[in-house]
């Protein structure tokens, strides 16, 4: 989450649906929301990192699976919620292969979407009854990895974000208004906590954490 609060992007090619989802999101505190309903505008907005994405699976001109993969690469800590009218079993099965944090069918009551948004903003995951197979497989994979997440300070998390964006020590210091030596100290502590030998390994381990 940025200093301005949660920044959410709604991706849906139906303007009415997009606006409705935006209104739901904006009812939450400390949250701003942008909606996009065409591929050209979406491509421009992908230069900006949002904290949470609410994505329609069937978006003309965009491969949703590739979009999710792209977001996970360039914004590994973002929250991703799929909101789709396609809730057939084979769709749920396909979603289980994606690294998403939740999925809600447009055939569900609007309260399901509200619940999903709240839970994802709190750091959890939510899949409604139509997408239970996706959730079950996700949980199974999480259990098999046995990932233990070390406790980090807010500043350490900020340094991690900067490092994941390829920023140098001086650039990180300038971004966070701290000295380069302080950045080096935080980086050293991070590598100790995550048992990483170098920055590349540090970022790789961080990206594998459950969100």
């Amino acid at each position: 989450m940025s200093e301005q609060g949660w920044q959410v992007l709604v991706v849906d090619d139906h303007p009415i649906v997009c606006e409705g989802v935006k209104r739901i999101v904006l009812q939450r505190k400390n949250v701003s929301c942008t909606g996009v309903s065409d591929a050209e505008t979406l491509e421009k907005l992908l230069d900006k990192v949002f904290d949470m994405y609410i994505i329609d699976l069937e978006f003309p001109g965009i491969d949703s699976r590739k979009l999710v993969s792209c977001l996970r690469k360039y914004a590994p800590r973002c929250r991703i919620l799929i909101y789709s009218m396609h809730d057939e079993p084979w769709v749920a099965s396909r979603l289980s292969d994606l690294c998403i944090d939740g999925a809600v069918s447009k055939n569900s009551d609007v309260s399901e979407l509200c619940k999903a948004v709240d839970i994802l903003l709190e750091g959890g995951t939510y899949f409604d009854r139509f997408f239970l197979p996706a959730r079950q497989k996700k949980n199974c994979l999480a259990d098999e990895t046995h990932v233990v997440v070390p406790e980090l300070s807010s500043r350490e998390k900020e340094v991690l974000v900067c490092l994941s964006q390829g920023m140098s020590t001086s650039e990180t210091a300038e971004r966070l208004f701290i000295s380069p030596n302080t950045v080096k100290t935080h980086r050293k502590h991070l590598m100790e906590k995550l048992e990483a030998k170098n920055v590349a390994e540090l970022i790789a381990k961080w990206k594998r954490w459950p969100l």
Side-chain angles (χ1 to χ4, degrees):
M1 181 176 66
S2 66
E3 295 179 357
Q4 293 76 34
W6 283 88
Q7 298 188 54
V8 180
L9 179 65
V10 177
V11 180
D12 196 298
D13 65 309
H14 296 90
I16 294 179
V17 175
C18 189
E19 186 62 29
V21 176
K22 276 183 57 181
R23 291 185 180 183
I24 289 175
V25 173
L26 289 172
Q27 291 174 1
R28 276 66 198 163
K29 293 182 179 179
N30 203 30
V31 175
S32 61
C33 186
T34 302
V36 57
S37 297
D38 65 275
E40 183 177 353
T41 303
L42 175 59
E43 290 179 358
K44 294 177 181 178
L45 286 174
L46 289 180
D47 290 334
K48 176 182 178 181
V49 175
F50 289 81
D51 301 299
M52 179 173 170
Y53 297 81
I54 302 177
I55 303 172
D56 181 7
L57 278 180
E58 301 297 327
F59 194 91
I62 296 293
D63 184 325
S64 297
R65 294 174 64 84
K66 290 184 178 179
L67 175 59
V68 170
S69 297
C70 177
L71 293 177
R72 278 289 173 243
K73 180 178 180 180
Y74 294 105
R77 305 299 290 175
C78 74
R79 316 292 292 158
I80 299 178
L81 173 66
I82 297 298
Y83 188 46
S84 174
M85 65 179 291
H86 296 285
D87 51 27
E88 299 86 352
W90 66 268
V91 175
S93 178
R94 186 180 70 171
L95 288 181
S96 67
D97 295 326
L98 295 179
C99 189
I100 59 176
D101 303 289
V104 174
S105 169
K106 291 181 179 178
N107 294 313
S108 293
D109 188 86
V110 69
S111 63
E112 292 286 336
L113 178 60
C114 295
K115 188 185 300 182
V117 170
D118 288 336
I119 290 176
L120 264 67
L121 289 176
E122 292 172 357
T125 60
Y126 187 83
F127 295 78
D128 72 5
R129 63 187 180 88
F130 292 99
F131 295 112
L132 285 178
R135 182 186 69 179
Q136 291 168 350
K137 185 169 182 180
K138 183 181 180 69
N139 287 345
C140 176
L141 292 174
D143 290 341
E144 291 176 356
T145 56
H146 298 290
V147 178
V148 177
V149 181
E151 189 170 336
L152 304 180
S153 68
S154 297
R155 181 63 80 187
E156 287 173 337
K157 292 177 182 177
E158 291 174 340
V159 170
L160 259 177
V161 170
C162 292
L163 292 175
S164 71
Q165 295 175 349
M167 298 176 65
S168 66
T169 297
S170 59
E171 290 172 331
T172 300
E174 184 176 354
R175 167 74 66 84
L176 302 179
F177 301 103
I178 56 180
S179 71
N181 285 335
T182 300
V183 173
K184 293 178 181 178
T185 298
H186 284 307
R187 186 173 60 198
K188 177 182 177 182
H189 290 164
L190 285 166
M191 294 177 68
E192 290 174 350
K193 288 184 177 182
L194 275 71
E195 299 180 351
K197 298 177 181 179
N198 50 50
V199 173
E201 184 178 355
L202 175 68
I203 300 305
K205 287 190 173 184
W206 178 58
K207 289 181 177 180
R208 291 199 297 268
W209 289 356
L211 296 176

